[in-house]
Amino acid sequence: MALNYRDALEPAAEEVRRYLREYAGVIDADLVDFAAVRSAALAFDDETTRLGFDQVLHEFLATLERVLPHERGLDYVGEARRWGLLQKRIRTLHRDAAGGSFTMRMYGRKVRSLVAEYLEGPEIDQVIAPVSLASPLFDEKVRAMPAREAAAEMGHALRFHLEERVKREDPEKYARLSQRLEEILREMPGRFEDQIQEFGPLFEQVRRETEEDPRLAGLTRLEQVVYRLLDRDAVENPDIGTSRADLRTIAEAVCETAALIMGKKSYQSQDQDITLLAGEIETALLHHGMLPGDSGWDPLSALAQGLAAYANSNQEPFRARLRGEWAE
C-alpha cells in the first residue's frame, strides 16, 4: 500500500502544478518569496478557482502525509511549503474561512511539522495584514504593499467588514456601502491608486461608526475586534449560554489570555500550541460566565478554537499588548 501512495505522489503534485498553470497562470517560479506569493494570490479572485485549488492541494497533501517520512516524500516538501504559503495568502486576502483567519488544522500531522515554520514564522506574520480593518496595524501593513495588492487588501477588508458586521446590524447601510464598494471596483478596473483613494472615505466611515458604538467605549482596538467576534459567534448562537456573560469583560480576558500564551518562548504556532491556546481561551470563557448550551460542549469549543485561530493569525497586536503597547 505504501508503494501505491508513493506512486500516487507525483501525479498528485502534477495535478496541483497543472491547476495553477491553467486556472491562475501561476508556476513555481512565481512563488520564489512571499512578495511573489502575494502577487500570485491576486489571480484567485474567482471563488470557484480558490475552491478548486483547495481541493487539488488537499489531495496532494493527504498523499504526502501517507508517504512521509519516506525519502520520496521529502523531495516534495519544498513544493508543499510554497503551495501552502500561497493557500495561506489566498485565504487571508479573501477571508474565506470562519473569522477570516487561516489555520493548518486541515493538514496532516507530519506535513504540519515540516511546513509550519515556513507558513507561520514571524517574518510571514510581519507582512500579512490583519483580518480586521479596525486593527491598529492594518494601515501600516497595507502602506508597505504595491498599489495593486494594497487595493485588493483594502477592498476585501471592506467587504469582509460589511458582510460580517454591518449586514447584520444595519441592512440598509450594508446595501448602501456595499453598492459604493462595488461601484469603485467596477468603474476603476486596473486603476489601483484611484481605488485606494476612493476606499479612504469608506474606511473612515466604518471606523468612525465603530468608535461611536457605545458598547465598545473604553475598549482597545484589539478588544473591540474580539468583542465583535464574540457578539457575532456567541450571542446569536442558541447552543452557547450568554445570559450570565459580560462580553466586555470576556473580550478583555480573551485578549489577555492569548497575549500571555503567545508571549511565551515555547509558543511556536504549531498545532499543539494552537490547541493549548484554544483550551486556555475556553477556560476563560467559562470563568467569565459563557456556558455550553443544551447541545453540549462542541459549540463553545468551536468558539474558542475560532478565537485561537484568529489570535494566532494576528499575533503582533496581542504581543504588543503583552509589552504594554496597547492601541487605544
Side-chain angles (χ1 to χ4, degrees), residues 24-46:
V26 172
I27 60 176
D28 264 11
D30 298 321
L31 308 176
V32 293
D33 55 34
F34 190 71
V37 168
R38 285 196 320 208
S39 179
L42 298 175
F44 291 82
D45 273 341
D46 181 69

mmCIF file with all atom_site columns, all heavy atoms in Angstrom, residues 24-46:
data_model
loop_
_atom_site.group_PDB
_atom_site.id
_atom_site.type_symbol
_atom_site.label_atom_id
_atom_site.label_alt_id
_atom_site.label_comp_id
_atom_site.label_asym_id
_atom_site.label_entity_id
_atom_site.label_seq_id
_atom_site.pdbx_PDB_ins_code
_atom_site.Cartn_x
_atom_site.Cartn_y
_atom_site.Cartn_z
_atom_site.occupancy
_atom_site.B_iso_or_equiv
_atom_site.pdbx_formal_charge
_atom_site.auth_seq_id
_atom_site.auth_comp_id
_atom_site.auth_asym_id
_atom_site.auth_atom_id
_atom_site.pdbx_PDB_model_num
ATOM 1   N N   . ALA A 1 24 ? -4.795  29.794 -12.996 1.00 0.00 ? 24 ALA A N   1
ATOM 2   C CA  . ALA A 1 24 ? -4.303  31.038 -12.393 1.00 0.00 ? 24 ALA A CA  1
ATOM 3   C C   . ALA A 1 24 ? -3.076  31.589 -13.099 1.00 0.00 ? 24 ALA A C   1
ATOM 4   O O   . ALA A 1 24 ? -2.616  32.678 -12.757 1.00 0.00 ? 24 ALA A O   1
ATOM 5   C CB  . ALA A 1 24 ? -3.986  30.807 -10.906 1.00 0.00 ? 24 ALA A CB  1
ATOM 6   N N   . GLY A 1 25 ? -2.541  30.836 -14.071 1.00 0.00 ? 25 GLY A N   1
ATOM 7   C CA  . GLY A 1 25 ? -1.350  31.308 -14.762 1.00 0.00 ? 25 GLY A CA  1
ATOM 8   C C   . GLY A 1 25 ? -0.138  31.398 -13.856 1.00 0.00 ? 25 GLY A C   1
ATOM 9   O O   . GLY A 1 25 ? 0.735   32.241 -14.049 1.00 0.00 ? 25 GLY A O   1
ATOM 10  N N   . VAL A 1 26 ? -0.072  30.528 -12.845 1.00 0.00 ? 26 VAL A N   1
ATOM 11  C CA  . VAL A 1 26 ? 0.990   30.551 -11.844 1.00 0.00 ? 26 VAL A CA  1
ATOM 12  C C   . VAL A 1 26 ? 1.866   29.321 -11.994 1.00 0.00 ? 26 VAL A C   1
ATOM 13  O O   . VAL A 1 26 ? 1.357   28.197 -12.128 1.00 0.00 ? 26 VAL A O   1
ATOM 14  C CB  . VAL A 1 26 ? 0.397   30.603 -10.415 1.00 0.00 ? 26 VAL A CB  1
ATOM 15  C CG1 . VAL A 1 26 ? 1.485   30.433 -9.363  1.00 0.00 ? 26 VAL A CG1 1
ATOM 16  C CG2 . VAL A 1 26 ? -0.352  31.917 -10.195 1.00 0.00 ? 26 VAL A CG2 1
ATOM 17  N N   . ILE A 1 27 ? 3.189   29.502 -11.982 1.00 0.00 ? 27 ILE A N   1
ATOM 18  C CA  . ILE A 1 27 ? 4.142   28.402 -11.945 1.00 0.00 ? 27 ILE A CA  1
ATOM 19  C C   . ILE A 1 27 ? 5.017   28.575 -10.713 1.00 0.00 ? 27 ILE A C   1
ATOM 20  O O   . ILE A 1 27 ? 4.983   29.622 -10.057 1.00 0.00 ? 27 ILE A O   1
ATOM 21  C CB  . ILE A 1 27 ? 5.003   28.353 -13.225 1.00 0.00 ? 27 ILE A CB  1
ATOM 22  C CG1 . ILE A 1 27 ? 5.795   29.660 -13.385 1.00 0.00 ? 27 ILE A CG1 1
ATOM 23  C CG2 . ILE A 1 27 ? 4.130   28.095 -14.450 1.00 0.00 ? 27 ILE A CG2 1
ATOM 24  C CD1 . ILE A 1 27 ? 6.733   29.657 -14.573 1.00 0.00 ? 27 ILE A CD1 1
ATOM 25  N N   . ASP A 1 28 ? 5.798   27.549 -10.385 1.00 0.00 ? 28 ASP A N   1
ATOM 26  C CA  . ASP A 1 28 ? 6.602   27.598 -9.169  1.00 0.00 ? 28 ASP A CA  1
ATOM 27  C C   . ASP A 1 28 ? 7.571   28.779 -9.158  1.00 0.00 ? 28 ASP A C   1
ATOM 28  O O   . ASP A 1 28 ? 7.910   29.305 -8.089  1.00 0.00 ? 28 ASP A O   1
ATOM 29  C CB  . ASP A 1 28 ? 7.374   26.286 -8.977  1.00 0.00 ? 28 ASP A CB  1
ATOM 30  C CG  . ASP A 1 28 ? 6.636   25.333 -8.048  1.00 0.00 ? 28 ASP A CG  1
ATOM 31  O OD1 . ASP A 1 28 ? 5.460   25.609 -7.745  1.00 0.00 ? 28 ASP A OD1 1
ATOM 32  O OD2 . ASP A 1 28 ? 7.222   24.331 -7.630  1.00 0.00 ? 28 ASP A OD2 1
ATOM 33  N N   . ALA A 1 29 ? 8.023   29.199 -10.335 1.00 0.00 ? 29 ALA A N   1
ATOM 34  C CA  . ALA A 1 29 ? 8.928   30.346 -10.404 1.00 0.00 ? 29 ALA A CA  1
ATOM 35  C C   . ALA A 1 29 ? 8.253   31.627 -9.930  1.00 0.00 ? 29 ALA A C   1
ATOM 36  O O   . ALA A 1 29 ? 8.930   32.605 -9.591  1.00 0.00 ? 29 ALA A O   1
ATOM 37  C CB  . ALA A 1 29 ? 9.439   30.525 -11.838 1.00 0.00 ? 29 ALA A CB  1
ATOM 38  N N   . ASP A 1 30 ? 6.913   31.628 -9.895  1.00 0.00 ? 30 ASP A N   1
ATOM 39  C CA  . ASP A 1 30 ? 6.171   32.795 -9.406  1.00 0.00 ? 30 ASP A CA  1
ATOM 40  C C   . ASP A 1 30 ? 6.050   32.805 -7.886  1.00 0.00 ? 30 ASP A C   1
ATOM 41  O O   . ASP A 1 30 ? 5.438   33.716 -7.324  1.00 0.00 ? 30 ASP A O   1
ATOM 42  C CB  . ASP A 1 30 ? 4.757   32.819 -10.013 1.00 0.00 ? 30 ASP A CB  1
ATOM 43  C CG  . ASP A 1 30 ? 4.770   32.941 -11.517 1.00 0.00 ? 30 ASP A CG  1
ATOM 44  O OD1 . ASP A 1 30 ? 5.620   33.685 -12.042 1.00 0.00 ? 30 ASP A OD1 1
ATOM 45  O OD2 . ASP A 1 30 ? 3.938   32.282 -12.176 1.00 0.00 ? 30 ASP A OD2 1
ATOM 46  N N   . LEU A 1 31 ? 6.602   31.794 -7.217  1.00 0.00 ? 31 LEU A N   1
ATOM 47  C CA  . LEU A 1 31 ? 6.428   31.650 -5.768  1.00 0.00 ? 31 LEU A CA  1
ATOM 48  C C   . LEU A 1 31 ? 7.772   31.633 -5.051  1.00 0.00 ? 31 LEU A C   1
ATOM 49  O O   . LEU A 1 31 ? 7.941   30.982 -4.037  1.00 0.00 ? 31 LEU A O   1
ATOM 50  C CB  . LEU A 1 31 ? 5.662   30.348 -5.464  1.00 0.00 ? 31 LEU A CB  1
ATOM 51  C CG  . LEU A 1 31 ? 4.337   30.154 -6.212  1.00 0.00 ? 31 LEU A CG  1
ATOM 52  C CD1 . LEU A 1 31 ? 3.746   28.787 -5.900  1.00 0.00 ? 31 LEU A CD1 1
ATOM 53  C CD2 . LEU A 1 31 ? 3.339   31.254 -5.880  1.00 0.00 ? 31 LEU A CD2 1
ATOM 54  N N   . VAL A 1 32 ? 8.719   32.404 -5.550  1.00 0.00 ? 32 VAL A N   1
ATOM 55  C CA  . VAL A 1 32 ? 10.091  32.333 -5.022  1.00 0.00 ? 32 VAL A CA  1
ATOM 56  C C   . VAL A 1 32 ? 10.222  32.963 -3.637  1.00 0.00 ? 32 VAL A C   1
ATOM 57  O O   . VAL A 1 32 ? 11.104  32.599 -2.864  1.00 0.00 ? 32 VAL A O   1
ATOM 58  C CB  . VAL A 1 32 ? 11.081  33.001 -5.995  1.00 0.00 ? 32 VAL A CB  1
ATOM 59  C CG1 . VAL A 1 32 ? 11.172  32.194 -7.275  1.00 0.00 ? 32 VAL A CG1 1
ATOM 60  C CG2 . VAL A 1 32 ? 10.662  34.448 -6.301  1.00 0.00 ? 32 VAL A CG2 1
ATOM 61  N N   . ASP A 1 33 ? 9.373   33.931 -3.308  1.00 0.00 ? 33 ASP A N   1
ATOM 62  C CA  . ASP A 1 33 ? 9.406   34.547 -1.983  1.00 0.00 ? 33 ASP A CA  1
ATOM 63  C C   . ASP A 1 33 ? 8.007   35.057 -1.664  1.00 0.00 ? 33 ASP A C   1
ATOM 64  O O   . ASP A 1 33 ? 7.092   34.949 -2.490  1.00 0.00 ? 33 ASP A O   1
ATOM 65  C CB  . ASP A 1 33 ? 10.437  35.677 -1.906  1.00 0.00 ? 33 ASP A CB  1
ATOM 66  C CG  . ASP A 1 33 ? 10.230  36.733 -2.984  1.00 0.00 ? 33 ASP A CG  1
ATOM 67  O OD1 . ASP A 1 33 ? 9.064   37.010 -3.349  1.00 0.00 ? 33 ASP A OD1 1
ATOM 68  O OD2 . ASP A 1 33 ? 11.231  37.285 -3.476  1.00 0.00 ? 33 ASP A OD2 1
ATOM 69  N N   . PHE A 1 34 ? 7.833   35.623 -0.461  1.00 0.00 ? 34 PHE A N   1
ATOM 70  C CA  . PHE A 1 34 ? 6.476   35.981 -0.066  1.00 0.00 ? 34 PHE A CA  1
ATOM 71  C C   . PHE A 1 34 ? 5.925   37.145 -0.881  1.00 0.00 ? 34 PHE A C   1
ATOM 72  O O   . PHE A 1 34 ? 4.725   37.214 -1.146  1.00 0.00 ? 34 PHE A O   1
ATOM 73  C CB  . PHE A 1 34 ? 6.396   36.315 1.423   1.00 0.00 ? 34 PHE A CB  1
ATOM 74  C CG  . PHE A 1 34 ? 4.968   36.441 1.884   1.00 0.00 ? 34 PHE A CG  1
ATOM 75  C CD1 . PHE A 1 34 ? 4.170   35.312 1.983   1.00 0.00 ? 34 PHE A CD1 1
ATOM 76  C CD2 . PHE A 1 34 ? 4.416   37.676 2.172   1.00 0.00 ? 34 PHE A CD2 1
ATOM 77  C CE1 . PHE A 1 34 ? 2.849   35.411 2.371   1.00 0.00 ? 34 PHE A CE1 1
ATOM 78  C CE2 . PHE A 1 34 ? 3.093   37.778 2.565   1.00 0.00 ? 34 PHE A CE2 1
ATOM 79  C CZ  . PHE A 1 34 ? 2.306   36.647 2.665   1.00 0.00 ? 34 PHE A CZ  1
ATOM 80  N N   . ALA A 1 35 ? 6.789   38.057 -1.310  1.00 0.00 ? 35 ALA A N   1
ATOM 81  C CA  . ALA A 1 35 ? 6.318   39.149 -2.162  1.00 0.00 ? 35 ALA A CA  1
ATOM 82  C C   . ALA A 1 35 ? 5.743   38.585 -3.460  1.00 0.00 ? 35 ALA A C   1
ATOM 83  O O   . ALA A 1 35 ? 4.703   39.048 -3.948  1.00 0.00 ? 35 ALA A O   1
ATOM 84  C CB  . ALA A 1 35 ? 7.463   40.119 -2.458  1.00 0.00 ? 35 ALA A CB  1
ATOM 85  N N   . ALA A 1 36 ? 6.415   37.568 -4.019  1.00 0.00 ? 36 ALA A N   1
ATOM 86  C CA  . ALA A 1 36 ? 5.917   36.936 -5.236  1.00 0.00 ? 36 ALA A CA  1
ATOM 87  C C   . ALA A 1 36 ? 4.625   36.171 -4.964  1.00 0.00 ? 36 ALA A C   1
ATOM 88  O O   . ALA A 1 36 ? 3.704   36.168 -5.796  1.00 0.00 ? 36 ALA A O   1
ATOM 89  C CB  . ALA A 1 36 ? 6.982   36.005 -5.808  1.00 0.00 ? 36 ALA A CB  1
ATOM 90  N N   . VAL A 1 37 ? 4.533   35.530 -3.805  1.00 0.00 ? 37 VAL A N   1
ATOM 91  C CA  . VAL A 1 37 ? 3.321   34.796 -3.446  1.00 0.00 ? 37 VAL A CA  1
ATOM 92  C C   . VAL A 1 37 ? 2.136   35.753 -3.330  1.00 0.00 ? 37 VAL A C   1
ATOM 93  O O   . VAL A 1 37 ? 1.029   35.455 -3.797  1.00 0.00 ? 37 VAL A O   1
ATOM 94  C CB  . VAL A 1 37 ? 3.529   34.027 -2.122  1.00 0.00 ? 37 VAL A CB  1
ATOM 95  C CG1 . VAL A 1 37 ? 2.196   33.507 -1.579  1.00 0.00 ? 37 VAL A CG1 1
ATOM 96  C CG2 . VAL A 1 37 ? 4.494   32.870 -2.339  1.00 0.00 ? 37 VAL A CG2 1
ATOM 97  N N   . ARG A 1 38 ? 2.349   36.909 -2.707  1.00 0.00 ? 38 ARG A N   1
ATOM 98  C CA  . ARG A 1 38 ? 1.267   37.893 -2.589  1.00 0.00 ? 38 ARG A CA  1
ATOM 99  C C   . ARG A 1 38 ? 0.769   38.319 -3.959  1.00 0.00 ? 38 ARG A C   1
ATOM 100 O O   . ARG A 1 38 ? -0.431  38.489 -4.172  1.00 0.00 ? 38 ARG A O   1
ATOM 101 C CB  . ARG A 1 38 ? 1.744   39.129 -1.808  1.00 0.00 ? 38 ARG A CB  1
ATOM 102 C CG  . ARG A 1 38 ? 1.851   38.904 -0.329  1.00 0.00 ? 38 ARG A CG  1
ATOM 103 C CD  . ARG A 1 38 ? 1.932   40.186 0.457   1.00 0.00 ? 38 ARG A CD  1
ATOM 104 N NE  . ARG A 1 38 ? 2.758   41.203 -0.163  1.00 0.00 ? 38 ARG A NE  1
ATOM 105 C CZ  . ARG A 1 38 ? 3.406   42.143 0.521   1.00 0.00 ? 38 ARG A CZ  1
ATOM 106 N NH1 . ARG A 1 38 ? 3.336   42.166 1.833   1.00 0.00 ? 38 ARG A NH1 1
ATOM 107 N NH2 . ARG A 1 38 ? 4.131   43.052 -0.098  1.00 0.00 ? 38 ARG A NH2 1
ATOM 108 N N   . SER A 1 39 ? 1.684   38.509 -4.886  1.00 0.00 ? 39 SER A N   1
ATOM 109 C CA  . SER A 1 39 ? 1.296   38.892 -6.243  1.00 0.00 ? 39 SER A CA  1
ATOM 110 C C   . SER A 1 39 ? 0.537   37.759 -6.928  1.00 0.00 ? 39 SER A C   1
ATOM 111 O O   . SER A 1 39 ? -0.496  37.993 -7.570  1.00 0.00 ? 39 SER A O   1
ATOM 112 C CB  . SER A 1 39 ? 2.531   39.278 -7.044  1.00 0.00 ? 39 SER A CB  1
ATOM 113 O OG  . SER A 1 39 ? 2.181   39.627 -8.371  1.00 0.00 ? 39 SER A OG  1
ATOM 114 N N   . ALA A 1 40 ? 1.011   36.524 -6.777  1.00 0.00 ? 40 ALA A N   1
ATOM 115 C CA  . ALA A 1 40 ? 0.355   35.378 -7.410  1.00 0.00 ? 40 ALA A CA  1
ATOM 116 C C   . ALA A 1 40 ? -1.054  35.180 -6.867  1.00 0.00 ? 40 ALA A C   1
ATOM 117 O O   . ALA A 1 40 ? -1.969  34.767 -7.601  1.00 0.00 ? 40 ALA A O   1
ATOM 118 C CB  . ALA A 1 40 ? 1.191   34.116 -7.186  1.00 0.00 ? 40 ALA A CB  1
ATOM 119 N N   . ALA A 1 41 ? -1.267  35.481 -5.596  1.00 0.00 ? 41 ALA A N   1
ATOM 120 C CA  . ALA A 1 41 ? -2.579  35.286 -4.975  1.00 0.00 ? 41 ALA A CA  1
ATOM 121 C C   . ALA A 1 41 ? -3.658  36.158 -5.604  1.00 0.00 ? 41 ALA A C   1
ATOM 122 O O   . ALA A 1 41 ? -4.849  35.857 -5.499  1.00 0.00 ? 41 ALA A O   1
ATOM 123 C CB  . ALA A 1 41 ? -2.498  35.562 -3.473  1.00 0.00 ? 41 ALA A CB  1
ATOM 124 N N   . LEU A 1 42 ? -3.253  37.217 -6.294  1.00 0.00 ? 42 LEU A N   1
ATOM 125 C CA  . LEU A 1 42 ? -4.224  38.115 -6.918  1.00 0.00 ? 42 LEU A CA  1
ATOM 126 C C   . LEU A 1 42 ? -4.940  37.446 -8.078  1.00 0.00 ? 42 LEU A C   1
ATOM 127 O O   . LEU A 1 42 ? -5.959  37.960 -8.555  1.00 0.00 ? 42 LEU A O   1
ATOM 128 C CB  . LEU A 1 42 ? -3.519  39.387 -7.406  1.00 0.00 ? 42 LEU A CB  1
ATOM 129 C CG  . LEU A 1 42 ? -2.864  40.241 -6.316  1.00 0.00 ? 42 LEU A CG  1
ATOM 130 C CD1 . LEU A 1 42 ? -2.098  41.401 -6.933  1.00 0.00 ? 42 LEU A CD1 1
ATOM 131 C CD2 . LEU A 1 42 ? -3.908  40.760 -5.331  1.00 0.00 ? 42 LEU A CD2 1
ATOM 132 N N   . ALA A 1 43 ? -4.433  36.309 -8.547  1.00 0.00 ? 43 ALA A N   1
ATOM 133 C CA  . ALA A 1 43 ? -5.066  35.602 -9.657  1.00 0.00 ? 43 ALA A CA  1
ATOM 134 C C   . ALA A 1 43 ? -6.252  34.751 -9.213  1.00 0.00 ? 43 ALA A C   1
ATOM 135 O O   . ALA A 1 43 ? -6.881  34.093 -10.043 1.00 0.00 ? 43 ALA A O   1
ATOM 136 C CB  . ALA A 1 43 ? -4.032  34.707 -10.356 1.00 0.00 ? 43 ALA A CB  1
ATOM 137 N N   . PHE A 1 44 ? -6.585  34.770 -7.917  1.00 0.00 ? 44 PHE A N   1
ATOM 138 C CA  . PHE A 1 44 ? -7.618  33.881 -7.391  1.00 0.00 ? 44 PHE A CA  1
ATOM 139 C C   . PHE A 1 44 ? -8.858  34.641 -6.944  1.00 0.00 ? 44 PHE A C   1
ATOM 140 O O   . PHE A 1 44 ? -9.479  34.305 -5.935  1.00 0.00 ? 44 PHE A O   1
ATOM 141 C CB  . PHE A 1 44 ? -7.049  33.049 -6.237  1.00 0.00 ? 44 PHE A CB  1
ATOM 142 C CG  . PHE A 1 44 ? -6.037  32.031 -6.668  1.00 0.00 ? 44 PHE A CG  1
ATOM 143 C CD1 . PHE A 1 44 ? -4.716  32.387 -6.881  1.00 0.00 ? 44 PHE A CD1 1
ATOM 144 C CD2 . PHE A 1 44 ? -6.401  30.720 -6.874  1.00 0.00 ? 44 PHE A CD2 1
ATOM 145 C CE1 . PHE A 1 44 ? -3.774  31.458 -7.278  1.00 0.00 ? 44 PHE A CE1 1
ATOM 146 C CE2 . PHE A 1 44 ? -5.468  29.765 -7.267  1.00 0.00 ? 44 PHE A CE2 1
ATOM 147 C CZ  . PHE A 1 44 ? -4.158  30.139 -7.480  1.00 0.00 ? 44 PHE A CZ  1
ATOM 148 N N   . ASP A 1 45 ? -9.254  35.655 -7.683  1.00 0.00 ? 45 ASP A N   1
ATOM 149 C CA  . ASP A 1 45 ? -10.455 36.407 -7.329  1.00 0.00 ? 45 ASP A CA  1
ATOM 150 C C   . ASP A 1 45 ? -11.714 35.548 -7.417  1.00 0.00 ? 45 ASP A C   1
ATOM 151 O O   . ASP A 1 45 ? -12.656 35.738 -6.647  1.00 0.00 ? 45 ASP A O   1
ATOM 152 C CB  . ASP A 1 45 ? -10.616 37.632 -8.243  1.00 0.00 ? 45 ASP A CB  1
ATOM 153 C CG  . ASP A 1 45 ? -9.867  38.836 -7.708  1.00 0.00 ? 45 ASP A CG  1
ATOM 154 O OD1 . ASP A 1 45 ? -9.545  38.842 -6.500  1.00 0.00 ? 45 ASP A OD1 1
ATOM 155 O OD2 . ASP A 1 45 ? -9.599  39.771 -8.477  1.00 0.00 ? 45 ASP A OD2 1
ATOM 156 N N   . ASP A 1 46 ? -11.736 34.622 -8.353  1.00 0.00 ? 46 ASP A N   1
ATOM 157 C CA  . ASP A 1 46 ? -12.916 33.780 -8.534  1.00 0.00 ? 46 ASP A CA  1
ATOM 158 C C   . ASP A 1 46 ? -12.983 32.716 -7.439  1.00 0.00 ? 46 ASP A C   1
ATOM 159 O O   . ASP A 1 46 ? -12.029 31.956 -7.233  1.00 0.00 ? 46 ASP A O   1
ATOM 160 C CB  . ASP A 1 46 ? -12.875 33.109 -9.911  1.00 0.00 ? 46 ASP A CB  1
ATOM 161 C CG  . ASP A 1 46 ? -14.098 32.241 -10.152 1.00 0.00 ? 46 ASP A CG  1
ATOM 162 O OD1 . ASP A 1 46 ? -15.197 32.795 -10.300 1.00 0.00 ? 46 ASP A OD1 1
ATOM 163 O OD2 . ASP A 1 46 ? -13.948 31.005 -10.166 1.00 0.00 ? 46 ASP A OD2 1
#
